[in-house]
Amino acid sequence: MKKADVKVGAIVDAKSEEEIKKPFQGKVEKIYENSALLAIASYDPVDATAISDLNNKIVVNFKNLKAASAAKNSKTVSTNEVKVEKIAKTKKADKDSKK
């Protein structure tokens, strides 16, 4: 791919010659002169450890990027979901607050 074809927020297919053995997909977060920072979106399960070590981000040269296609047998990165629940007050807490 050429720099002009890469847009921030786009999903692209990528390969890394060093860290990750199999092709993967990533979302472009930042564009540099000859490469782009990708947030890894889906990958082959054999690369799970390497992806974790990289904190789900990697810089890839434009020559190793191409327009995204459907991923086969890949694992999608899960997003952290936080649920907030209100905790009911206990009777002891009610007594302490009245003092």
Side-chain angles (χ1 to χ4, degrees):
M1 265 181 123
K2 295 183 178 175
K3 182 177 181 178
D5 300 332
V6 180
K7 305 287 183 221
V8 173
I11 302 293
V12 294
D13 288 337
K15 62 181 180 177
S16 172
E17 293 159 353
E18 293 97 32
E19 292 91 354
I20 303 172
K21 309 245 184 294
K22 303 277 185 168
F24 59 94
Q25 286 187 331
K27 181 178 179 182
V28 178
E29 290 195 341
K30 190 169 184 179
I31 297 173
Y32 300 108
E33 191 63 35
N34 297 310
S35 57
L37 173 65
L38 303 179
I40 300 167
S42 65
Y43 56 92
D44 193 289
V46 299
D47 291 322
T49 303
I51 301 293
S52 177
D53 290 346
L54 292 167
N55 292 322
N56 297 324
K57 295 192 185 224
I58 189 168
V59 175
V60 179
N61 192 303
F62 292 135
K63 69 180 181 180
N64 293 328
L65 300 178
K66 63 180 182 177
S69 60
K72 298 175 187 172
N73 293 332
S74 65
K75 181 176 179 182
T76 303
V77 174
S78 63
T79 57
N80 293 334
E81 294 182 18
V82 177
K83 292 184 180 180
V84 179
E85 295 180 14
K86 191 171 184 177
I87 300 174
K89 292 182 180 180
T90 62
K91 290 183 180 182
K92 183 178 179 184
D94 288 340
K95 290 178 184 177
D96 290 341
S97 64
K98 291 179 182 176
K99 291 183 180 179

